[in-house]
Amino acid sequence: MYSILIHFYAFIVALISPFHKKARMMRLGQWKTNSILREKIDRKAKYIWFHASSLGEFEQGRPLIEKIKAQHPEYKILLTFFSPSGYEVRKNYNGADVICYLPFDTPYRVKKFLNLANPAVAVFIKYEFWGNYLHELKKRGIPVYIISAIFRPDQLFFQWFGAPYRKMLYCFNHLFVQDERSRELLEKYGIKNVTVCGDTRFDRVLDVRNQARELPNVERFVTNGGGEKQPTLIAGSSWPHDEDILIPYFNEHTEIKLIIAPHEIHREHLMYIESLLKRPSVRLSDAMQDKSLMEGKDCLIIDSFGLLSSIYRYGTIAYIGGGFGAGIHNTLEAAVYGIPVLFGPRYQKFKEARDLIQVGGGFSVSSKDEFDGKMNELLAYHDVLDAVGNSAGQFVSGNAGVTDKILKELSL
């Protein structure tokens, strides 16, 4: 039944691909996988295969990939993605030797992929559970691990009808989970090859902070070209509902500046943001062409990707978008700089957000009034602002070192 469903999913992707860009990219990418493997896999080398669904999961696996490259040069790295949003961004990542899409999880495709890739070790990241791949890896005696995993009682594995799906979990040689609740849940079902070691994203954001780019235009914006920094709200990965809450506050409070990096930067969304603003703004792309355009501006709109993790360093307070939709984006990218982090109400599935609230480094707001109140408190009381920011920064640094714990346990 599982394989039939995967075949059906593959059929739907093929059916809609002429009309759906993401489906078309996925289908074309998977079609190229076998030729990439034939051309690039070194038959004399040993490969560790890392699989990430998308970009976020890749960032979780990246610290481990780079540690292995540095400490175990006898291995090469095969990196696969399922989603175009991961592959298209990281297809030229120089930390991996071979990068390609992962074919759909049907028996024939699985055997073909593993015959060509022939990995010595497989590492799946967070939520990647593909039954045919896992069972075939186990059948071939290839050690397979999952890292930064998190399990909840509402997942399919643990439902009354979930026993067939739960068999996937017994295929792992070891499961590295984020919290004790996950370990206890797995133990109820006889899965004891589990280590609680946290989330590798803490290591990743610390690496990003240490390698953060200097952005002179952004620094000039927050200091008005002088030496004194003006209080600045950084809105990262914002969606329209987030902007409907935070932009009115910005319009009414001339003492602060706003840097907004929307999740989507297509023309219509940028124009929507500009329609809400009642104070002078400039797009970063325009300011890069003419620095004088930044003079007298109170809002800087980031209309390019790849800068947000470095931009947070210039903020006083961060607001992370997505919490009024499917779920919040990366809170740790901001918290690592020791600034308070605000986000919307849909954060419960994100352990790092729950923990950030618990230690006093972040806050959830569910309405404009709540956002206004928390902003007013943080901006009015500098001791509170500093204490919250320090809690956020210490939360990140205190949870680092996960990558080293995992590396010690791998059979390398």
Side-chain angles (χ1 to χ4, degrees):
M1 180 61 72
Y2 172 82
S3 294
I4 290 171
L5 289 173
I6 297 295
H7 275 293
F8 180 71
Y9 179 50
F11 172 73
I12 294 297
V13 170
L15 191 66
I16 67 173
S17 61
F19 320 102
H20 191 284
K21 181 180 178 181
K22 188 173 181 180
R24 186 165 60 253
M25 292 169 71
M26 179 187 293
R27 190 175 183 223
L28 179 61
Q30 290 190 16
W31 182 75
K32 293 179 178 178
T33 291
N34 289 345
S35 60
I36 290 174
L37 295 176
R38 289 191 189 96
E39 178 185 345
K40 295 189 176 182
I41 289 289
D42 180 355
R43 294 291 155 193
K44 298 178 181 178
K46 294 187 296 182
Y47 283 83
I48 299 179
W49 167 32
F50 281 84
H51 176 62
S53 174
S54 190
L55 188 59
E57 289 77 14
F58 163 74
E59 291 296 331
Q60 286 182 287
R62 185 170 177 170
L64 185 58
I65 291 172
E66 294 179 356
K67 282 268 185 172
I68 289 173
K69 289 289 284 186
Q71 297 182 16
H72 292 275
E74 68 273 22
Y75 287 97
K76 290 191 174 185
I77 301 295
L78 165 63
L79 174 62
T80 61
F81 290 96
F82 187 73
S83 169
S85 59
Y87 177 80
E88 296 302 327
V89 175
R90 295 301 181 202
K91 60 186 176 183
N92 296 316
Y93 169 59
N94 59 16
D97 299 282
V98 182
I99 304 174
C100 59
Y101 278 89
L102 183 69
F104 287 116
D105 188 27
T106 61
Y108 173 79
R109 291 183 176 98
V110 167
K111 291 176 182 177
K112 187 73 171 178
F113 174 86
L114 291 178
N115 287 341
L116 291 170
N118 192 29
V121 178
V123 180
F124 287 54
I125 303 168
K126 196 174 184 180
Y127 288 138
E128 285 302 275
F129 304 100
W130 296 109
N132 288 317
Y133 278 105
L134 289 170
H135 285 103
E136 188 66 22
L137 286 164
K138 184 177 182 180
K139 180 180 176 182
R140 296 184 184 209
I142 299 171
V144 57
Y145 304 89
I146 190 163
I147 65 170
S148 294
I150 192 161
F151 294 94
R152 304 183 305 275
D154 62 349
Q155 288 172 309
L156 182 59
F157 307 113
F158 311 113
Q159 304 307 305
W160 64 268
F161 53 84
Y165 199 61
R166 194 160 56 245
K167 290 180 180 178
M168 297 183 194
L169 302 180
Y170 298 96
C171 294
F172 290 103
N173 291 66
H174 207 87
L175 299 92
F176 298 95
V177 300
Q178 292 190 29
D179 58 10
E180 185 65 24
R181 288 196 302 178
S182 295
R183 188 197 65 77
E184 291 174 353
L185 183 59
L186 291 167
E187 190 173 33
K188 285 183 181 178
Y189 294 90
I191 302 168
K192 298 182 179 181
N193 51 331
V194 181
T195 299
V196 179
C197 57
D199 190 344
T200 50
R201 279 186 300 172
F202 288 98
D203 295 333
R204 176 59 188 153
V205 296
L206 283 165
D207 288 343
V208 170
R209 185 195 66 183
N210 294 335
Q211 300 167 19
R213 297 168 56 181
E214 296 283 345
L215 301 171
N217 285 330
V218 178
E219 185 172 13
R220 187 179 304 109
F221 173 78
V222 300
T223 58
N224 280 325
E228 187 173 349
K229 180 181 174 183
Q230 190 167 343
T232 303
L233 172 65
I234 310 285
S237 301
S238 64
W239 293 83
H241 199 143
D242 303 304
E243 293 143 10
D244 291 342
I245 286 175
L246 65 92
I247 290 180
Y249 184 90
F250 163 74
N251 287 335
E252 297 164 5
H253 290 77
T254 58
E255 73 276 15
I256 68 169
K257 288 198 164 193
L258 172 65
I259 299 177
I260 185 166
H263 183 71
E264 295 182 344
I265 57 172
H266 55 73
R267 178 174 175 272
E268 291 77 10
H269 192 191
L270 296 177
M271 291 179 67
Y272 175 74
I273 291 170
E274 290 168 337
S275 74
L276 296 177
L277 291 166
K278 295 180 180 178
R279 295 171 61 189
S281 66
V282 62
R283 298 184 188 184
L284 180 62
S285 59
D286 293 331
M288 295 285 284
Q289 299 295 321
D290 184 354
K291 295 178 183 179
S292 66
L293 293 176
M294 200 174 287
E295 295 178 10
K297 301 301 190 296
D298 299 321
C299 175
L300 179 62
I301 302 171
I302 309 301
D303 55 349
S304 59
F305 292 120
L307 298 177
L308 182 57
S309 60
S310 295
I311 286 174
Y312 283 123
R313 69 189 295 181
Y314 299 105
T316 307
I317 301 170
Y319 177 92
I320 310 302
F324 289 91
I328 57 173
H329 295 283
N330 194 336
T331 55
L332 299 181
E333 281 188 337
V336 72
Y337 290 103
I339 59 176
V341 182
L342 308 181
F343 41 84
R346 294 184 181 173
Y347 67 89
Q348 288 80 6
K349 291 184 178 181
F350 301 87
K351 180 182 183 297
E352 69 279 6
R354 300 196 308 268
D355 291 347
L356 194 58
I357 291 175
Q358 188 173 6
V359 301
F363 304 95
S364 173
V365 294
S366 57
S367 66
K368 181 181 182 302
D369 288 342
E370 287 188 14
F371 175 80
D372 290 357
K374 187 54 64 177
M375 286 291 295
N376 287 338
E377 178 187 358
L378 292 171
L379 292 172
Y381 300 101
H382 292 290
D383 55 339
V384 175
L385 179 74
D386 291 341
V388 173
N390 288 335
S391 295
Q394 290 171 11
F395 168 67
V396 177
S397 59
N399 283 281
V402 176
T403 304
D404 289 332
K405 294 177 185 177
I406 294 173
L407 191 54
K408 287 180 183 178
E409 297 291 334
L410 294 183
S411 301
L412 301 183

